[in-house]
Amino acid sequence: MKKIEYPLLGECVYRTVLKNGLKVNLVPRPNFHKVYGILSTDFGSNDTHFCLPDTQEVRKVPAGSAHFLEHKLFEKKDHDAFELFGHFGADANAFTSYTKTSFLFSTTTNVKENLEILLDFVQSPYFTAKSVAKEKGIIAQEINMYADDADWRLYAGLVKNLYPGQPFSYDIAGTVDSVNQISVKDLYDLYQTFYHPSNMDLFMVGAIDVTETLEWINKNQAKKEFAPAIVPQRLDGRNEVAAKAVNPEQQLAFSVKRAKVAIGIRGFDRLPAGKAGLKYKLALQLLFYLLLGESSQDYQELYNQGIVDDSFDYSVVVERGFHFVWFSGDTDQPAIFRAKLTSLILHATSVLKTQTVEFQLAKKEFIGRQIRAMNVLEAIAEQYEGSLFDDATLFDKIPLLQELTLEYLLETAAKFISQPGMSVYELCPKEDD
């Protein structure tokens, strides 16, 4: 086991790769009472087109299959994994993103038992036609619930504009029609392809003993048989994604009292590999904080003019194969909101090139945020992105932030921001509302 030390932070990460390919990260926190564990696979809603590892048969599954599979893994022939976690005093959950599926638990007791439940239920698929049919109705209700959520429709509409016709453009849960097409075979084929230990990682943080915890994991995995390690063959390539032009704008009449506007910027530049990719992401976050964070001069002017209000927000999204930034807010002046923000974003380099003092202050604030996040076990575990950033953890962010310069931010802005990459999506109040 490799010990990765961060002496300035007083932190360390213990990392190893098991014989079956499972990557294990352990972060002991002896002063904590809680333990947080998360088991993730490099597989999400975008991965709908692939080759089966044994036969090389090309398969394409319906949208929403990854999310559906996440749900079904909890249910076994004679029990539900949620109930087992509850019996041993743990809270459990799971989530699916565009490129990752994660299963997690947190507990202050029975760590060994809960760790084994996590590994066992994820590594023992059990699907039947009857249980799959039942789940379709449950997920359909979830999809319909989100269809009535204005903020979700705004975000989903913008992503569809940014990546038209691509897996990105579908809701992570799919549609009611696509979910109804999911079969037992689809689930087993996906599981066989993407849930091999060599495509997964386990991150444990909190009140753990490293030697003892690793022994528990090794014993658990030694009881199981796995096929040889594989590299999943995904057929939704980035060249195909890059070929699709952005839809510049779209409006939808919706049951809202005020207009909701989202502006997105899709990155057509290639994300740097390894930790340089994480540095690039941090640069984007710092760049747009300087441009439109609550303390920026331009934000304050827009706020004082009533163009934006406390509903305004933005987010930087960087995942395997794509990256974009989006801004959103409720406004009584949607046309001015769009025009002002679009102009400000397109002229970001000229706006920021003189903000040397503001940059240094913002960088210190970002470093402070990372130090505070180290007190949150969930933040430590969930900010680990595996192979995307060459196994970088939350603890790698501070030295990367320290490396950032205003010149690097301006170079990043010049590469990332482009008129062809921008899109606007607006929810307009219905006339009868």
Side-chain angles (χ1 to χ4, degrees):
M1 173 168 276
K2 182 179 180 182
K3 182 180 181 181
I4 304 165
E5 296 188 80
Y6 301 87
L8 292 178
L9 303 175
E11 300 286 353
C12 62
V13 177
Y14 294 85
R15 178 175 297 145
T16 190
V17 178
L18 305 188
K19 292 181 180 179
N20 61 20
L22 178 67
K23 188 177 295 180
V24 177
N25 288 274
L26 303 176
V27 180
R29 281 297 186 85
N31 294 328
F32 278 69
H33 295 291
K34 187 168 75 170
V35 173
Y36 187 85
I38 182 166
L39 179 62
S40 301
T41 179
D42 186 14
F43 162 64
S45 65
N46 289 349
D47 302 312
T48 58
H49 197 190
F50 57 95
C51 287
L52 289 176
D54 51 355
T55 65
Q56 296 302 298
E57 175 191 351
V58 174
R59 294 279 282 116
K60 192 165 188 177
V61 296
S65 294
H67 175 257
F68 197 101
L69 177 54
E70 170 220 309
H71 275 232
K72 289 307 303 168
L73 279 173
F74 281 91
E75 186 178 350
K76 305 307 176 188
K77 183 177 182 179
D78 56 357
H79 70 277
D80 186 285
F82 275 119
E83 295 176 358
L84 282 181
F85 279 118
H87 177 74
F88 285 100
D91 291 324
N93 209 337
F95 61 86
T96 302
S97 72
Y98 296 113
T99 58
K100 183 168 73 171
T101 307
S102 297
F103 305 85
L104 56 95
F105 76 89
S106 63
T107 188
T108 58
T109 185
N110 299 314
V111 176
K112 178 178 182 290
E113 290 81 2
N114 285 303
L115 173 58
E116 290 191 340
I117 293 168
L118 176 68
L119 292 169
D120 289 346
F121 94 83
V122 174
Q123 293 181 332
S124 57
Y126 175 78
F127 316 124
T128 66
K130 182 178 179 180
S131 67
V132 167
K134 179 182 177 181
E135 193 68 31
K136 290 178 180 179
I138 296 171
I139 293 182
Q141 289 179 340
E142 181 180 335
I143 292 170
N144 289 330
M145 179 184 68
Y146 278 107
D148 294 329
D149 185 308
D151 290 323
W152 178 253
R153 290 292 295 273
L154 183 71
Y155 172 77
L158 180 67
V159 173
K160 194 178 289 284
N161 272 4
L162 292 173
Y163 297 94
Q166 300 303 311
F168 306 88
S169 67
Y170 293 102
D171 189 301
I172 288 172
T175 66
V176 173
D177 287 342
S178 70
V179 165
N180 281 328
Q181 297 171 27
I182 296 172
S183 68
V184 172
K185 184 179 187 315
D186 292 332
L187 299 181
Y188 275 116
D189 284 349
L190 286 169
Y191 188 90
Q192 178 189 4
T193 304
F194 295 106
Y195 275 77
H196 190 280
S198 60
N199 196 48
M200 304 185 76
D201 60 73
L202 173 66
F203 202 107
M204 296 279 293
V205 58
I208 58 173
D209 178 276
V210 170
T211 302
E212 181 181 51
T213 304
L214 183 59
E215 182 180 351
W216 294 341
I217 296 167
N218 274 318
K219 285 184 177 179
N220 177 279
Q221 296 298 279
K223 298 175 185 176
K224 303 169 184 176
E225 294 184 5
F226 300 97
I230 59 168
V231 177
Q233 295 186 47
R234 312 169 203 268
L235 301 181
D236 289 314
R238 64 171 291 129
N239 291 334
E240 179 185 357
V241 172
K244 301 289 185 179
V246 167
N247 287 334
E249 65 177 287
Q250 189 174 353
Q251 292 181 326
L252 175 68
F254 203 77
S255 296
V256 290
K257 296 298 183 184
R258 304 170 67 208
K260 288 180 175 289
V261 182
I263 299 173
I265 313 168
R266 170 177 163 183
F268 284 101
D269 54 327
R270 185 177 290 274
L271 189 71
K275 289 184 175 65
L278 180 56
K279 180 179 178 180
Y280 180 94
K281 179 180 179 180
L282 293 169
L284 286 179
Q285 291 173 334
L286 191 53
L287 163 69
F288 289 110
Y289 176 79
L290 282 169
L291 192 68
L292 280 163
E294 289 185 0
S295 60
S296 71
Q297 180 179 343
D298 287 293
Y299 174 85
Q300 290 297 325
E301 290 180 2
L302 292 171
Y303 188 91
N304 291 334
Q305 295 167 11
I307 297 169
V308 301
D309 60 19
D310 292 337
S311 67
F312 180 78
D313 200 6
Y314 69 93
S315 182
V316 175
V317 180
V318 179
E319 296 192 35
R320 170 176 34 88
F322 69 98
H323 55 289
F324 65 92
V325 178
W326 70 294
F327 311 81
S328 66
D330 302 347
T331 181
D332 295 318
Q333 307 175 64
I336 298 177
F337 180 101
R338 294 169 53 172
K340 290 278 190 180
L341 264 72
T342 300
S343 176
L344 181 61
I345 293 165
L346 289 174
H347 295 91
T349 53
S350 60
V351 173
L352 299 178
K353 64 183 179 182
T354 61
Q355 295 192 10
T356 305
V357 174
E358 292 87 348
F359 166 75
Q360 292 298 337
L361 290 172
K363 188 163 83 165
K364 289 179 181 178
E365 181 178 342
F366 269 50
I367 291 172
R369 290 182 188 179
Q370 304 312 313
I371 293 173
R372 289 193 298 273
M374 291 179 197
N375 292 319
V376 182
L377 300 185
E378 291 84 352
I380 296 171
E382 293 179 12
Q383 291 191 46
Y384 172 70
E385 294 286 352
S387 59
L388 177 60
F389 298 131
D390 194 22
D391 296 312
T393 66
L394 172 63
F395 310 133
D396 291 294
K397 287 188 174 183
I398 290 178
L400 290 173
L401 281 167
Q402 291 172 329
E403 291 177 11
L404 291 181
T405 63
L406 183 56
E407 290 72 24
Y408 181 81
L409 258 65
L410 296 175
E411 291 172 7
T412 301
K415 293 176 183 177
F416 175 73
I417 299 172
S418 69
Q419 182 78 56
M422 294 189 71
S423 178
V424 179
Y425 193 86
E426 181 180 340
L427 295 184
C428 310
K430 290 182 178 179
E431 291 184 5
D432 57 358
D433 287 348

